[in-house]
């Protein structure tokens, strides 16, 4: 199981939000590239990046910060936020992003997601962000009528590399992850699931590790890594056991 440290980008800085609210951003590093180097030095094998401004505006906004991270470290990177067309997907992949995460377009333009999965096999991840079990889009500003499981099952045959499932109500709140909902989603589809939202302690990571055989490929953590609630060495050792 992979532990993905999250670098959320807002106005060129590495931040964390509380439950997806842009006005609740806490800046953790003025230099996202320096943060990426720090995570690489701690032994992480992947990075999870989100262009928060891009998610709201529907186009890449923090491209300079992403490119600086790509230049700073050799780690594979998965990137989401504001990726809404094939040209943007291709550009990011050409620049060195390993996997792109498609969220809003999965609801609003599902054919694009299917086309992207065909054109870029193994490089497209489905981002499913849920508030109260319903899928949220446009930087989590809109909540649809589709449940997370329904959306995941719609793309079961598309060939996505993975699903990043985020429980928005837990995200950044350090209240513990929604292990039950994540397991239910993972068991409902064959696509590997990456858990996100509320991962606040080693206990949360251990809980996901214990159910890895249900289809959990990895766990994303942000705030708890930044403020020291999760020790990177201990977490990585736990997942390697």
């Amino acid at each position: 199981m992979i532990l993905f440290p999250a670098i959320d980008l807002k106005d060129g800085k590495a931040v964390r939000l509380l439950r997806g609210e842009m006005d609740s951003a806490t800046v953790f590093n003025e230099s996202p590239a320096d943060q990426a180097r720090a995570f690489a030095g701690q032994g992480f094998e992947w990075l999870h990046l989100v262009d928060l401004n891009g998610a709201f505006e529907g186009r890449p906004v923090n491209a300079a910060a992403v490119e600086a991270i790509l230049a700073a470290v050799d780690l594979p990177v998965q990137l989401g936020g504001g990726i809404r067309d094939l040209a943007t997907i291709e550009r990011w992949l050409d620049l060195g992003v390993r996997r792109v995460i498609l969220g809003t377009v999965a609801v609003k333009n599902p054919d694009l997601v299917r086309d992207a999965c065909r054109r870029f096999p193994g490089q497209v991840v489905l981002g499913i962000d849920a508030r109260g079990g319903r899928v949220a889009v446009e930087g989590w500003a809109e909540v649809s009528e589709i449940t997370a499981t329904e959306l995941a099952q719609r793309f079961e045959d598309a060939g996505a590399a993975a699903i990043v499932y985020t429980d928005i109500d837990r995200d950044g709140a350090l209240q513990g992850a929604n292990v039950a909902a994540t397991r239910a989603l993972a068991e409902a589809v064959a696509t590997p699931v990456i858990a996100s939202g509320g991962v606040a302690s080693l206990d949360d990571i251990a809980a996901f590790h214990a159910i890895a055989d249900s289809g959990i490929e990895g766990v994303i953590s942000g705030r708890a890594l930044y403020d020291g609630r999760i020790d990177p060495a201990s977490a990585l050792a736990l997942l390697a056991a």
Side-chain angles (χ1 to χ4, degrees), residues 108 135-144:
K108 301 201 168 185
V135 175
V137 296
E138 304 291 354
W140 301 350
E142 300 177 15
V143 178
S144 71

Side-chain angles (χ1 to χ4, degrees), residues 21-35:
E21 299 296 334
M22 285 289 273
D23 59 3
S24 69
T26 300
V27 177
F28 280 99
N29 201 318
E30 298 279 341
S31 170
D34 284 349
Q35 186 61 57

Side-chain angles (χ1 to χ4, degrees), residues 155-202:
F155 290 96
E156 185 72 326
D157 61 348
I163 294 169
V164 172
Y165 173 65
T166 303
D167 185 319
I168 299 169
D169 296 320
R170 308 285 184 105
D171 193 65
L174 297 172
Q175 295 177 348
N178 194 336
V179 178
T182 307
R183 180 176 189 169
L185 176 65
E187 291 178 341
V189 295
T191 308
V193 171
I194 299 168
S196 176
V199 177
S201 67
L202 281 177

Side-chain angles (χ1 to χ4, degrees), residues 20-84:
E21 299 296 334
M22 285 289 273
D23 59 3
S24 69
T26 300
V27 177
F28 280 99
N29 201 318
E30 298 279 341
S31 170
D34 284 349
Q35 186 61 57
R37 290 188 192 96
F39 282 142
Q42 290 166 342
F44 291 101
E45 297 180 352
W46 272 84
L47 294 178
H48 174 81
L49 311 183
V50 180
D51 181 348
L52 294 172
N53 301 101
F56 279 91
E57 296 190 25
R59 60 179 181 82
V61 175
N62 287 287
V66 175
E67 291 176 30
I69 289 169
L70 293 172
V73 297
D74 291 329
L75 297 182
V77 165
Q78 60 182 25
L79 170 68
I83 304 173
R84 309 282 169 85

